[in-house]
Amino acid sequence: MNDRVNTLLKILDEIYPEKISFITENDPWRFLVTVMLSASTTDKQAIKVAAELFKRFPESSDFAGAEIHEIETIIKPAGLYRTKAPRIKEVSSYIARNGLPHTEEELMNLPGIGEKTAACYLEHVLSLPAVIADTHFVRVAYRLGFTDTENRLKAAAEIRERFPKELWSRMSMVLNLHGRTVCKARPVCSECALKDLCPSSVCGNAVP
Ligand code: SF4
């Protein structure tokens, strides 16, 4: 890593010293379902909808005989409910039969588990290093020049290649937080602590 990247990460570390999880569910199966629900909606909405879903289906085994229509009705406020409902049923039934996944490969073989959901699970449930390339992370990583692409999958691969494993989880969190608070879709560069080092700053002194 070059000096600029090191300095950027150090500043972000100072701004966001605490580990913050937006989905704090401790039960691994419930965590996975909540992350699945969070696709294309906010974490807050996913958590709310998940709570309703778990009231009706408290255990993964409860999904075995569940009607897709009933699941759809409950999760409709989280969006993409026609896609999410059968996947949640299938993943839950799989876990009820086979137990929880313990590897990335196992996770990725489950229906509807994409790279981001798998990374969240690896990091939160299994405490393994993971690049959680959500929209906020990729936007900030791209603007800071940590990756050359805004494509989520490619960006995650580039970050894994360019940065040591020990940094992945921490980077995921600080870039995500910075993207939610300052480096939003419309960045507030004038208030950004990185503005003099960021190649995308509209008001700093960084050389693009
Ligand atoms: S200077 Fe602007 S573009 Fe760069 S990280 Fe800060 S808010 Fe984002």
Side-chain angles (χ1 to χ4, degrees), residues 80-199:
L80 302 176
Y81 61 98
R82 291 223 159 98
T83 309
K84 290 176 184 175
R87 288 177 174 174
I88 287 172
K89 175 174 170 161
E90 208 174 321
V91 166
S92 300
S93 304
Y94 173 91
I95 288 174
R97 284 194 312 271
N98 304 292
L100 291 161
H102 286 102
T103 62
E104 186 173 9
E105 198 188 350
E106 234 184 306
L107 279 162
M108 297 294 285
N109 280 333
L110 295 174
I113 305 292
E115 206 166 292
K116 192 203 107 185
T117 305
C120 287
Y121 186 93
L122 291 174
E123 202 276 331
H124 183 87
V125 177
L126 303 176
S127 302
L128 292 172
V131 174
I132 303 173
D134 65 4
T135 317
H136 302 293
F137 175 90
V138 174
R139 182 174 61 247
V140 183
Y142 179 72
R143 285 176 179 166
L144 289 175
F146 292 178
T147 170
D148 300 328
T149 170
E150 289 182 278
N151 174 288
R152 283 217 315 222
L153 289 180
K154 288 183 186 162
E158 272 188 9
I159 298 283
R160 281 196 297 267
E161 207 179 291
R162 293 177 181 179
F163 295 87
K165 263 187 182 155
E166 304 76 56
L167 284 181
W168 295 353
S169 299
R170 183 81 192 132
M171 263 182 90
S172 299
M173 198 200 73
V174 294
L175 295 195
N176 177 293
L177 287 172
H178 201 57
R180 286 174 188 261
T181 51
V182 181
C183 193
K184 303 177 191 178
R186 295 183 72 173
V188 194
C189 299
S190 59
E191 289 174 20
C192 181
L194 310 178
K195 65 176 183 277
D196 291 331
L197 291 163
C198 172

